């Protein structure tokens, strides 16, 4: 599904140039659950953003489903992301002014689906995350664990082939964190590819491969 070759990412200002990723090569097969670990500032989130096509590499090549991503225009990148990649963020990134139902429905508005099909998918996603009884609530009326469940529902509602999770349990207590990891494990067992950035060794243990980054390099990979 994903093939990255000699990826380099530089952030430049007038005074400094920071090398966030340094010759990173990585392959992820369809159906894998990969955890990316490393200290703060090692390039984990930068790599995830490039995989999710939210950012671009300075050098190197990135293939997603055999397409050369670095050669695509922004409009084609947006079209490729849409309905193919779901995102889960540490800070949930829900829209406070929208209800839970509307937050989950949002990705579907770009897929040209009928109102009935959107409703079916939203209800299915909310049931899968045990949140249908909160459909008419607003994000600020929910606990952190409940908001992350909604974020997962939003990520899966378009039935993406790939889910990218950036510290999905980072703002949760251990009990809610374990529930979120169980949800992600269940999604992976149903065939969804997951790439997760985490500082948590116990969360990473749910994956079937752990990639360790240090100073922008892949220093090791552990298969389970």
């Amino acid at each position: 599904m994903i093939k990255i070759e000699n990826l380099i990412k530089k952030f430049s200002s007038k005074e400094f140039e920071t090398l966030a990723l340094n010759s990173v090569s990585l392959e992820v097969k369809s159906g894998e659950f990969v955890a990316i670990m490393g200290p703060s500032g090692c390039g984990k989130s930068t790599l995830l953003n490039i995989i999710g096509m939210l950012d671009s590499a300075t050098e190197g090549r990135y293939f997603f489903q055999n397409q050369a991503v670095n050669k695509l225009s922004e409009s084609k990148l947006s079209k490729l992301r849409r309905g193919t990649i779901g995102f889960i963020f540490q800070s949930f990134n829900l829209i406070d002014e929208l209800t839970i139902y509307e937050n989950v429905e949002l990705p579907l508005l770009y897929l040209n689906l009928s109102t009935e099909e959107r409703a079916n998918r939203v209800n299915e996603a909310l049931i899968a995350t045990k949140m249908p009884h909160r459909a008419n609530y607003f994000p600020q009326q929910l606990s952190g664990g409940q908001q992350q469940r909604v974020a997962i529902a939003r990520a899966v509602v378009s039935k993406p082939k790939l889910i990218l999770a950036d510290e999905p349990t980072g703002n949760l207590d251990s009990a809610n964190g374990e529930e979120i990891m169980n949800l992600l494990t269940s999604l992976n067992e149903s065939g969804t590819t997951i790439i997760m950035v985490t500082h948590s060794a116990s969360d990473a243990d749910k994956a079937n491969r752990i990639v360790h980054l240090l100073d922008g390099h892949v220093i090791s990979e552990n298969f389970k």
Side-chain angles (χ1 to χ4, degrees), residues 4-12 17-24 42-43 45-50 54-60 215-216:
I4 288 170
E5 297 176 340
N6 300 316
L7 211 65
I8 292 174
K9 178 62 179 181
K10 298 177 182 178
F11 294 101
S12 300
E17 182 175 86
T18 302
L19 188 60
L21 296 174
N22 189 359
S23 298
V24 170
C42 72
S45 293
T46 299
L47 178 58
L48 203 69
N49 286 337
I50 291 173
L54 300 176
D55 199 357
S56 58
T58 307
E59 298 177 33
D215 297 332

Side-chain angles (χ1 to χ4, degrees), residues 7-223:
L7 211 65
I8 292 174
K9 178 62 179 181
K10 298 177 182 178
F11 294 101
S12 300
S13 66
K14 290 182 180 179
E15 293 84 13
F16 302 102
E17 182 175 86
T18 302
L19 188 60
L21 296 174
N22 189 359
S23 298
V24 170
S25 295
L26 181 69
E27 290 192 35
V28 178
K29 296 179 181 178
S30 181
E32 276 198 282
F33 188 165
V34 177
I36 301 175
M37 298 191 75
S40 296
C42 72
K44 302 186 302 296
S45 293
T46 299
L47 178 58
L48 203 69
N49 286 337
I50 291 173
I51 291 172
M53 305 173 211
L54 300 176
D55 199 357
S56 58
T58 307
E59 298 177 33
R61 299 197 299 172
Y62 170 26
F63 297 90
F64 182 79
Q65 295 184 320
N66 296 319
Q67 292 192 66
V69 170
N70 46 303
K71 295 183 179 180
L72 298 178
S73 66
E74 184 54 44
S75 61
K76 289 184 178 180
L77 287 174
S78 179
K79 186 176 181 180
L80 184 58
R81 278 195 304 267
R82 197 180 303 152
T84 306
I85 303 175
F87 297 89
I88 303 170
F89 303 97
Q90 179 178 352
S91 56
F92 318 134
N93 284 17
L94 301 177
I95 299 174
D96 290 339
E97 294 76 20
L98 300 181
T99 65
I100 298 313
Y101 183 99
E102 291 167 338
N103 267 281
V104 176
E105 183 187 32
L106 196 58
L108 301 180
L109 299 179
Y110 306 98
L111 296 182
N112 198 29
L113 301 175
S114 67
T115 302
E116 182 180 6
E117 176 63 17
R118 292 201 307 271
N120 289 338
R121 289 205 187 188
V122 172
N123 290 328
E124 183 180 314
L126 289 174
I127 289 170
T129 53
K130 300 180 181 178
M131 292 300 293
H133 59 301
R134 295 287 190 262
N136 294 318
Y137 283 55
F138 289 89
Q140 295 306 312
Q141 295 175 292
L142 304 182
S143 69
Q146 290 173 326
Q147 289 188 57
Q148 194 61 297
R149 284 179 174 275
V150 175
I152 291 175
R154 181 187 57 192
V156 303
V157 72
S158 59
K159 300 182 180 179
K161 296 179 174 65
L162 172 66
I163 289 180
L164 302 178
D166 194 352
E167 298 283 2
T169 67
N171 284 335
L172 305 178
D173 59 41
S174 57
N176 278 305
E178 185 173 354
E179 286 191 6
I180 294 306
M181 288 309 303
N182 288 339
L183 267 174
L184 292 178
T185 300
S186 177
L187 287 168
N188 176 247
E189 289 173 349
S190 69
T192 305
T193 306
I194 297 177
I195 302 176
M196 174 183 67
V197 161
T198 183
H199 280 102
S200 168
S202 60
D203 286 358
D205 195 49
K206 301 283 188 181
N208 45 48
R209 177 159 53 120
I210 303 174
V211 176
H212 294 272
L213 286 185
L214 182 64
D215 297 332
H217 294 278
V218 173
I219 59 170
S220 67
E221 293 187 53
N222 304 116
F223 292 83

